[in-house]
Amino acid sequence: MLLHFQYKPLYQGEQLPGWAFSFYYKKRRMSGNYLPDGTIEWLSNKPPETERQPLEQQIHSLMLYHVYDR
């Protein structure tokens, strides 16, 4: 479960798409960039391969809800 999910635009004025995100997972802060094509670039504490797919699916769902379904 993701806790304290936050996101913000990568570019000032939101002219270009792209978002920085962060959250806590298993008491570890994780962060990355969410690119317009749905690619996720992990910046810190990259999750283990076995946990990456479920986490990325949750991130995609949250970004769809917060950014694209405005």
Side-chain angles (χ1 to χ4, degrees):
M1 179 176 182
L2 305 180
L3 299 174
H4 304 291
F5 183 81
Q6 298 178 10
Y7 70 97
K8 65 180 180 179
L10 284 175
Y11 307 101
Q12 190 172 8
E14 299 183 43
Q15 300 272 333
L16 297 171
W19 300 267
F21 66 85
S22 65
F23 60 90
Y24 287 88
Y25 179 72
K26 294 186 177 180
K27 298 182 181 181
R28 292 177 40 203
R29 185 177 188 276
M30 298 184 161
S31 65
N33 293 330
Y34 189 87
L35 304 180
D37 65 357
T39 302
I40 294 173
E41 296 176 340
W42 292 98
L43 300 177
S44 68
N45 291 324
K46 190 174 183 177
E49 192 65 39
T50 57
E51 297 177 359
R52 190 171 306 146
Q53 184 178 2
L55 281 175
E56 289 183 356
Q57 287 176 342
Q58 289 180 55
I59 293 166
H60 288 305
S61 295
L62 287 165
M63 292 304 290
L64 284 172
Y65 177 77
H66 288 295
V67 175
Y68 293 109
D69 286 346
R70 284 187 182 182

